[in-house]
Amino acid sequence: MTPSLRPIALAGGQILRALPLVRLTWPRVDQRGWEEFVAFIRNRAGGDGAGVIALGDEANYLSGLIVYESEHDLEEGRVLTLHLFTAVDLVNSLAPIHSLYRTATAKADELGCGGLQVRLHADQAAIAVHLRALGLSERAGYLWKKLATAPA
């Protein structure tokens, strides 16, 4: 039986509860990096336009996480960007992915966003397959290169 999952908004010191989930996909992320990332996203969006939502079960075990931000897309207008989408399932169920998706679309509706875009790590191909099955499609990609840190 799949446990019942509910969204839990995380703020302040509560975001540290989600660090183990973050490290499943990004193992090199430390506490400081996680806190700085969340603070950056929240400060950039201001107000309720950004945040962290985890999925918790009856025992408060976290099995999913999104970091969201309302942004303005040049073509689509207001969209909800999920900078981080991580789901863990220990009972071979798609429930965490589906619950996160429903949570994200509800947040997009609440914020007046007409679209949803999800950024996934290269190692999250399985999640991408499930999100495509829920109606998401690939529209853009990122090319990336690490640059040397500029002197202060």
Side-chain angles (χ1 to χ4, degrees):
M1 182 176 158
T2 302
S4 175
L5 301 172
R6 69 188 191 302
I8 304 168
L10 301 179
Q14 293 177 325
I15 66 163
L16 292 179
R17 289 185 57 203
L19 185 56
L21 280 175
V22 173
R23 286 183 174 158
L24 290 174
T25 305
W26 296 272
R28 293 186 315 235
V29 172
D30 61 11
Q31 178 178 335
R32 181 177 174 194
W34 171 233
E35 290 175 322
E36 288 175 352
F37 174 74
V38 171
F40 176 81
I41 297 295
R42 283 197 171 135
N43 290 336
R44 185 168 69 175
D48 294 328
V52 179
I53 300 176
L55 287 181
D57 64 12
E58 297 88 4
N60 270 338
Y61 172 76
L62 301 183
S63 61
L65 178 71
I66 59 173
V67 175
Y68 68 88
E69 178 182 19
S70 174
E71 296 183 317
H72 188 86
D73 182 82
L74 184 59
E75 294 179 312
E76 300 298 330
R78 195 170 196 147
V79 298
L80 190 71
T81 298
L82 303 183
H83 295 285
L84 190 147
F85 186 108
T86 298
V88 176
D89 177 46
L90 302 175
V91 293
N92 294 325
S93 164
L94 296 177
I97 293 172
H98 290 201
S99 292
L100 281 176
Y101 172 75
R102 284 190 304 275
T103 298
T105 56
K107 181 56 74 173
D109 186 54
E110 175 187 323
L111 295 174
C113 297
L116 178 68
Q117 60 183 2
V118 181
R119 295 181 181 165
L120 296 175
H121 189 276
D123 293 339
Q124 292 182 290
I127 288 178
V129 168
H130 297 303
L131 289 174
R132 282 188 204 97
L134 291 170
L136 280 83
S137 60
E138 293 185 38
R139 291 195 45 200
Y142 287 94
L143 299 175
W144 193 85
K145 177 181 179 180
K146 185 171 179 119
L147 302 175
T149 303

